């Protein structure tokens, strides 16, 4: 049985000021199995208040999306950037723990620099995973869009270095690189064993450009899906 979650990013974003106090009312109008909580950079100074609100609202948030600047800082890698990213990641983990999340979604690379120095990002993953495990959280790496190579190459490399790594697979980002079908086709079907979570975004548009179907997507043996896009 698959659990279907809604991203809180589909409910609040820039159009409504990223006001987390709107979440409880919005959540009541959504029929789903729970929510993937999307962290925003605006909330680092008030993360405890945000977590308290989510807890008191009784929102079920089993999945937590790490704030996206973390991966951008790791990719940029100016002096102090990686250390700052690790510090921000720790706050994300603390917030996730406070609201009862169990699984983390991470953009390990991002921004203009993206995957320019991917081996640095891959090395930094272990630091992040150690922090996540201290909070009893499962860290997954998402197949985010790349500026220099393509996601499956990097996921393959990550799986080589960390054989027990888990991934979040995003259909929209996969289709951007024309890789949507490769999660269930030879010779890249190996990736399905590492997928713990999926983002099914704009699946109808994806299907226009490929042979992807819901049957193919749901044939992957995982229990968690999120299907509503974020408004950022």
């Amino acid at each position: 049985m698959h659990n279907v979650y809604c991203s809180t990013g589909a409910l609040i974003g820039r159009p409504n000021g990223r006001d987390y106090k709107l979440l409880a009312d919005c959540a009541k109008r959504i029929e789903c199995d729970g929510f993937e909580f999307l962290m925003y950079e605006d909330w680092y100074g008030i993360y405890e208040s945000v977590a308290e609100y989510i807890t008191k609202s009784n929102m079920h948030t089993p999945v937590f999306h790490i704030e996206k600047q973390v991966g951008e800082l790791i990719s940029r890698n100016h002096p102090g950037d990686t250390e700052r990213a690790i510090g921000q990641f720790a706050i994300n983990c603390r917030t996730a723990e406070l609201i009862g999340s169990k699984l983390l979604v991470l953009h390990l690379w991002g921004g203009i620099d993206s995957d320019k120095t991917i081996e640095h990002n891959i090395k930094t993953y272990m630091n992040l995973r150690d922090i996540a495990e201290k909070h009893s959280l499962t860290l997954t790496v998402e197949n985010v869009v790349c500026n220099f190579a393509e996601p499956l190459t990097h996921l393959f490399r990550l799986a080589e270095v960390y054989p027990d790594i888990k991934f979040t697979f995003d259909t929209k980002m996969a289709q951007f690189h024309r890789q949507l079908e490769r999660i269930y086709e030879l010779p890249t079907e190996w990736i399905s064993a590492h997928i713990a979570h999926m983002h099914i975004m704009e699946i109808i548009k994806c299907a226009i450009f490929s042979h992807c179907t819901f049957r193919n997507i749901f044939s992957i043996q995982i229990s968690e899906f999120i299907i509503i896009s974020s408004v950022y």
Side-chain angles (χ1 to χ4, degrees):
M1 184 67 179
H2 299 292
N3 292 317
V4 178
Y5 303 140
C6 172
S7 170
T8 59
L11 308 178
I12 59 171
R14 290 194 181 97
N16 51 18
R18 295 177 173 174
D19 183 0
Y20 67 88
K21 293 182 180 179
L22 298 173
L23 280 174
D25 183 60
C26 291
K28 294 175 184 176
R29 307 180 189 188
I30 304 293
E31 185 176 349
C32 60
D33 297 310
F35 294 87
E36 179 180 299
F37 183 85
L38 175 61
M39 181 73 166
Y40 286 124
E41 68 270 18
D42 315 57
W43 297 341
Y44 280 119
I46 57 170
Y47 76 91
E48 290 178 322
S49 297
V50 175
E52 182 180 16
Y53 173 86
I54 297 300
T55 301
K56 288 183 177 179
S57 70
N58 293 316
M59 287 181 65
H60 179 47
T61 53
V63 182
F64 187 101
H65 197 303
I66 300 295
E67 194 269 306
K68 297 172 184 178
Q69 189 182 63
V70 170
E72 293 174 7
L73 286 169
I74 296 170
S75 291
R76 190 175 69 174
N77 198 25
H78 288 175
D81 276 351
T82 299
E83 291 76 11
R84 180 182 171 194
I86 291 172
Q88 290 180 346
F89 181 83
I91 294 175
N92 279 260
C93 287
R94 176 56 179 156
T95 308
E97 183 180 34
L98 287 172
I99 67 175
S101 301
K102 298 300 180 184
L103 185 141
L104 303 176
V105 177
L106 170 69
H107 290 193
L108 186 57
W109 56 89
I112 295 174
D113 296 292
S114 186
D115 56 328
K116 181 172 64 176
T117 55
I118 192 63
E119 287 300 319
H120 170 69
N121 302 67
I122 291 172
K123 180 179 179 181
T124 305
Y125 163 83
M126 196 65 245
N127 299 99
L128 304 180
R129 177 166 157 174
D130 286 344
I131 295 170
E133 290 179 349
K134 289 178 181 178
H135 292 272
S136 300
L137 299 165
T138 298
L139 179 59
T140 71
V141 175
E142 189 171 359
N143 60 317
V144 291
V145 170
C146 301
N147 287 342
F148 297 88
E150 41 79 23
L152 279 184
T153 295
H154 301 325
L155 298 190
F156 181 76
R157 175 67 178 142
L158 280 160
E160 278 189 324
V161 179
Y162 310 105
D164 58 346
I165 194 171
K166 297 298 181 184
F167 299 136
T168 287
F169 193 86
D170 186 295
T171 58
K172 183 178 180 180
M173 295 187 187
Q175 185 56 32
F176 180 86
H177 287 279
R178 297 295 188 265
Q179 296 183 330
L180 185 55
E181 298 174 2
R182 292 175 61 187
I183 56 174
Y184 55 88
E185 291 182 347
L186 293 171
T188 50
E189 88 292 348
W190 59 269
I191 193 175
S192 63
H194 293 274
I195 297 176
H197 184 58
M198 289 191 74
H199 289 171
I200 302 179
M201 303 171 70
E202 301 186 29
I203 190 67
I204 295 176
K205 289 183 182 179
C206 289
I208 292 173
F209 299 106
S210 72
H211 299 294
C212 173
T213 66
F214 275 107
R215 179 173 294 180
N216 290 331
I217 290 294
F218 280 89
S219 69
I220 298 171
Q221 299 301 305
I222 65 172
S223 60
E224 298 173 348
F225 289 82
I226 177 168
I227 63 171
I228 297 182
S229 303
S230 169
V231 296
Y232 301 104

